[in-house]
Amino acid sequence: MPAMPDKDWKKKLTKEQYHILREKGTEFPFTGKFYLHKEKGFYVCAGCGQKLFFSDAKFDSGCGWPSFFESMPETVELRRDESHGMVRTEVTCRKCGGHLGHVFDDGPISTGKRYCINSAALEFRKKK
Ligand code: FE
């Protein structure tokens, strides 16, 4: 997908979505609309609509952000992030490059991963 100019992202996204997705922001813990969300379906990128996570991969991590033990295959990119004096692994949408959150190695036994994702970077699609 060709890179979208910044001014178009500003038009397309809400202020909060823009801050998270395009400026690598982080929403306050325990505030996001999907933190306690338990419906069956899947989550897509709020920027470009790409499918990212099945609701079946969501778990209660207690960390304050929606948490998943795996992404759908080939949908995200991971990069080393040394910002804020920490070494973390950033998770971005493979299609639009939007910042989603970070992935940590303290997830449940099945995968050992905890994708800690901002609600504002996601939209939910109900299972039909
Ligand atoms: Fe995207």
Side-chain angles (χ1 to χ4, degrees):
M1 177 160 135
M4 185 148 96
D6 202 48
K7 63 171 175 42
D8 292 347
W9 280 120
K10 276 193 173 146
K11 270 185 236 161
K12 182 180 164 112
L13 302 174
T14 67
K15 240 180 156 169
E16 191 189 19
Q17 288 171 334
Y18 181 86
H19 177 59
I20 309 283
L21 287 162
R22 309 311 309 176
E23 300 181 319
K24 303 188 188 300
T26 301
E27 68 201 10
F28 287 108
F30 306 102
T31 62
K33 61 184 170 180
F34 296 130
Y35 172 53
L36 297 172
H37 190 251
K38 290 193 196 306
E39 277 184 281
K40 291 283 180 200
F42 56 90
Y43 296 85
V44 304
C45 174
C48 71
Q50 155 140 293
K51 293 181 182 181
L52 296 172
F53 300 99
F54 286 112
S55 59
D56 287 348
K58 195 170 187 288
F59 70 101
D60 287 324
S61 69
C63 75
W65 291 274
S67 300
F68 303 88
F69 57 75
E70 66 184 4
S71 69
M72 294 186 197
E74 315 275 302
T75 60
V76 299
E77 270 177 9
L78 306 180
R79 1 191 133 86
R80 187 178 164 93
D81 171 14
E82 296 184 20
S83 66
H84 303 287
M86 294 174 268
V87 178
R88 294 178 294 173
T89 303
E90 182 191 5
V91 183
T92 59
C93 170
R94 184 170 280 201
K95 195 168 160 196
C96 74
H99 172 81
L100 304 172
H102 291 88
V103 60
F104 302 93
D105 289 323
D106 57 7
I109 263 166
S110 53
T111 61
K113 300 292 179 191
R114 171 171 58 96
Y115 288 81
C116 186
I117 305 297
N118 291 283
S119 290
L122 300 174
E123 280 174 4
F124 179 70
R125 302 276 185 265
K126 213 171 181 152
K127 201 172 176 177
K128 298 220 172 90

